[in-house]
Amino acid sequence: MAISISRAAADLRNRAADAHKAGTPAEARQLYAAYLAMVPQDASIWSNLGALLRAEARHDMALRAHERAYALDPGSSVIMNNYANILSDIGHYDRALPLRRKILQADPTDQSQKAMIGKALRALGRYAEAITHLEAAINDHPDYAELRIQLALSQLSDRRYAEGFRNYEVRWETGELTQRQMKTPQWDYSPLDGKTILVMPEQGFGDAVAFSRFLPLLRRYNPARVLVYAEKPMQRIFDGLDGADWVGTQLPPGTTYDVWTNVMDLCPLHFDKTDIIPAPTRLTVPADSTARADAVVAPHAVKFKVGIVWSGSVTYRGNAFRSFSHTEFLPLVDIPDVQLFSLYKGPNLAEYQADGSNCFIIDTASTDRDFADCAAMMQEMDLIITSDTATAHIAGSLGVPVWTLLHWDAFWLWQHQGATTPWYPSMDLIRQTTPRDWAGVFAAVKTKLEGQVAAWKRGQS
């Protein structure tokens, strides 16, 4: 949409765009504000501002900017795409989907829109529709990795594990992960017959816990040894993993291996033969960690003890949506006979300590040495309530009762419906029914916890 602007306004517009491109968002925001005060009808600049705010995780402000841009120029594919992106971010896939289809109608070769349509269908729980759409799109664009990763995630969400895990191997081609640089060939699934294989962990600590259950299947291939690389925080908890001959953070001097594989690449080998999900991996909790946990909870022996976690790794791109504030837990401390213990360790600890919450929710994790200390504390709890992060997988693997609180577009393992999961028999899933509505989740948590504590008290009498 062509608009006429003054020379001063044009100068502001150019300076704002330059600051945006230069990666100085604070300067760009002020210049965009000054320009839009003079030229409020410039749809492209509203869209640019929305993109800037989205990159800064200012989602509500970004939505306002994109809504203005779309109202001014609803026919622009660029503006529609930016608008669809923010709608998807905040869970409004039902509103984003028609926009993406309209863009695709204008340009049927747009492979990116085809991938995002598949993602939207999956996020809406329409797995079969997503799979059909993505398979057709891959026929047209066989080399586009984003289509293939969306297909894999849709198949995994639909519990089509053999196909999904095999297609998930494309994760290394999407540009989000760093390709491994190894000294030996990657295992091609042929018989090992006396060879040594090194198994590498996945992207996150939770993934490492969840999929280590597949290590024992390597015995079918007759390896001489199975070596498992572990990140340092996981080393002690992984000591003695079923199916592993050695677990460590660095190979001992002189140790060699013939081939290597990623732990998740073992999964399709299992699901090729059965749909049954293996039991969670057995974790090791060292005696010194148990003694440490015993000492912490001893003064609260008569209480119903609840371990809590409110955030995962802040470096994870989607953490802002899967996590919530520690203050959401504060109403639970008022339930009679309940004592909350923080199992969280990370940068968000400062706010919890600064506002006095640690007076009511006991800090157990800030001095944890590793996940073994965290696991020991979990075993002292009557219940774990956690965001979707590694602690959920550890609690589930330990068989501790755990409630995992899920945002609207949860990890594929949890699907988009259901209160339980076959991956962890001791786990309950409590979901957002409306995007970003943690208040509703915690209202359900409080009611459920009150019932749990009442039953516990009856059992104590």
Side-chain angles (χ1 to χ4, degrees):
M1 180 173 63
I3 55 175
S4 177
I5 61 175
S6 68
R7 182 176 298 178
D11 179 62
L12 273 174
R13 192 181 200 275
N14 292 336
R15 287 167 57 201
D18 289 343
H20 191 163
K21 291 174 185 175
T24 54
E27 180 185 2
R29 263 186 281 110
Q30 296 310 311
L31 290 166
Y32 279 139
Y35 172 76
L36 287 166
M38 298 171 63
V39 191
Q41 71 273 28
D42 192 331
S44 294
I45 293 302
W46 279 115
S47 190
N48 287 358
L49 173 61
L52 177 71
L53 293 167
R54 177 180 179 240
E56 295 183 289
R58 302 172 188 264
H59 300 102
D60 291 315
M61 296 291 279
L63 178 62
R64 291 187 179 98
H66 286 304
E67 285 176 336
R68 292 194 178 194
Y70 183 65
L72 288 164
D73 190 1
S76 166
S77 290
V78 172
I79 286 172
M80 277 192 284
N81 183 63
N82 286 342
Y83 188 22
N85 286 342
I86 188 61
L87 288 170
S88 297
D89 284 351
I90 60 175
H92 294 299
Y93 287 99
D94 54 336
R95 294 169 60 192
L97 192 55
L99 293 171
R100 297 201 184 281
R101 285 180 164 153
K102 189 174 179 181
I103 297 168
L104 188 61
Q105 187 176 17
D107 180 8
T109 67
D110 190 335
Q111 57 190 11
S112 176
Q113 290 306 321
K114 292 179 182 181
M116 292 304 97
I117 287 170
K119 180 179 181 179
L121 291 169
R122 171 173 58 83
L124 291 168
R126 293 156 61 176
Y127 304 142
E129 190 177 349
I131 291 166
T132 299
H133 163 82
L134 290 162
E135 286 176 337
I138 288 168
N139 284 334
D140 295 330
H141 312 281
D143 298 324
Y144 188 49
E146 188 61 31
L147 281 168
R148 292 158 61 204
I149 196 68
Q150 292 302 332
L151 175 61
L153 294 172
S154 299
Q155 290 169 329
L156 291 169
S157 298
D158 201 32
R159 296 185 180 174
R160 292 166 58 169
Y161 294 130
E163 302 162 274
F165 278 115
R166 191 154 278 112
N167 286 326
Y168 194 60
E169 293 178 10
V170 77
R171 66 195 179 279
W172 302 101
E173 300 175 27
T174 61
E176 293 191 12
L177 302 175
T178 302
Q179 289 273 10
R180 300 204 192 277
Q181 302 296 321
M182 307 294 286
K183 296 179 180 179
T184 64
Q186 188 169 1
W187 183 40
D188 62 2
Y189 309 121
S190 60
L192 291 167
D193 292 338
K195 294 179 180 178
T196 295
I197 184 169
L198 175 65
V199 182
M200 299 298 292
E202 284 297 325
Q203 305 96 294
F205 296 130
D207 295 326
V209 174
F211 302 111
S212 291
R213 71 183 75 200
F214 294 96
L215 284 167
L217 70 80
L218 280 170
R219 295 302 176 199
R220 301 178 195 162
Y221 296 85
N222 193 33
R225 296 185 75 202
V226 175
L227 313 178
V228 176
Y229 179 86
E231 301 284 356
K232 188 174 181 180
M234 306 299 300
Q235 182 175 9
R236 290 200 304 151
I237 205 174
F238 276 177
D239 186 38
L241 275 179
D242 290 345
D245 298 300
W246 173 90
V247 178
T249 60
Q250 187 173 2
L251 290 175
T255 302
T256 61
Y257 57 94
D258 300 290
V259 292
W260 66 274
T261 192
N262 299 297
V263 68
M264 285 185 75
D265 292 340
L266 303 177
C267 302
L269 303 178
H270 171 85
F271 288 111
D272 280 343
K273 297 182 178 297
T274 178
D275 292 330
I276 298 172
I277 297 169
T281 193
R282 291 190 300 110
L283 301 175
T284 296
V285 182
D288 65 328
S289 294
T290 299
R292 179 177 175 272
D294 286 344
V296 172
V297 302
H300 311 279
V302 298
K303 297 287 188 178
F304 186 89
K305 296 176 284 295
V306 182
I308 65 166
V309 176
W310 57 88
S311 176
S313 171
V314 295
T315 61
Y316 172 61
R317 184 177 60 177
N319 190 61
F321 295 119
R322 69 173 179 173
S323 301
F324 36 83
S325 172
H326 66 278
T327 59
E328 299 280 7
F329 283 109
L330 287 174
L332 306 185
V333 307
D334 299 324
I335 299 174
D337 300 306
V338 167
Q339 178 60 58
L340 268 55
F341 296 80
S342 167
L343 305 181
Y344 173 75
K345 183 172 185 175
N348 292 334
L349 202 61
E351 296 174 2
Y352 148 81
Q353 294 170 333
D355 69 4
S357 293
N358 59 346
C359 298
F360 302 93
I361 303 170
I362 296 170
D363 175 14
T364 72
S366 62
T367 58
D368 278 358
R369 295 163 292 178
D370 54 19
F371 281 113
D373 285 347
C374 180
M377 192 61 63
M378 286 183 179
Q379 290 187 321
E380 297 293 331
M381 299 292 111
D382 297 294
L383 174 67
I384 308 296
I385 306 177
T386 178
S387 62
D388 176 14
T389 187
T391 48
H393 296 277
I394 293 171
S397 295
L398 293 170
V400 175
V402 52
W403 299 350
T404 301
L405 312 186
L406 300 175
H407 77 303
W408 68 90
D409 188 13
F411 181 44
W412 62 261
L413 200 74
W414 317 126
Q415 300 190 288
H416 288 82
Q417 293 182 351
T420 59
T421 171
W423 288 83
Y424 296 110
S426 70
M427 182 180 291
D428 286 356
L429 307 174
I430 303 178
R431 303 174 184 274
Q432 286 183 346
T433 56
T434 302
R436 300 196 289 171
D437 177 23
W438 286 117
V441 169
F442 276 90
V445 166
K446 189 170 188 290
T447 298
K448 185 170 181 171
L449 182 57
E450 287 170 337
Q452 191 98 344
V453 173
W456 171 78
K457 288 171 71 174
R458 289 194 296 271
Q460 298 292 103
S461 59

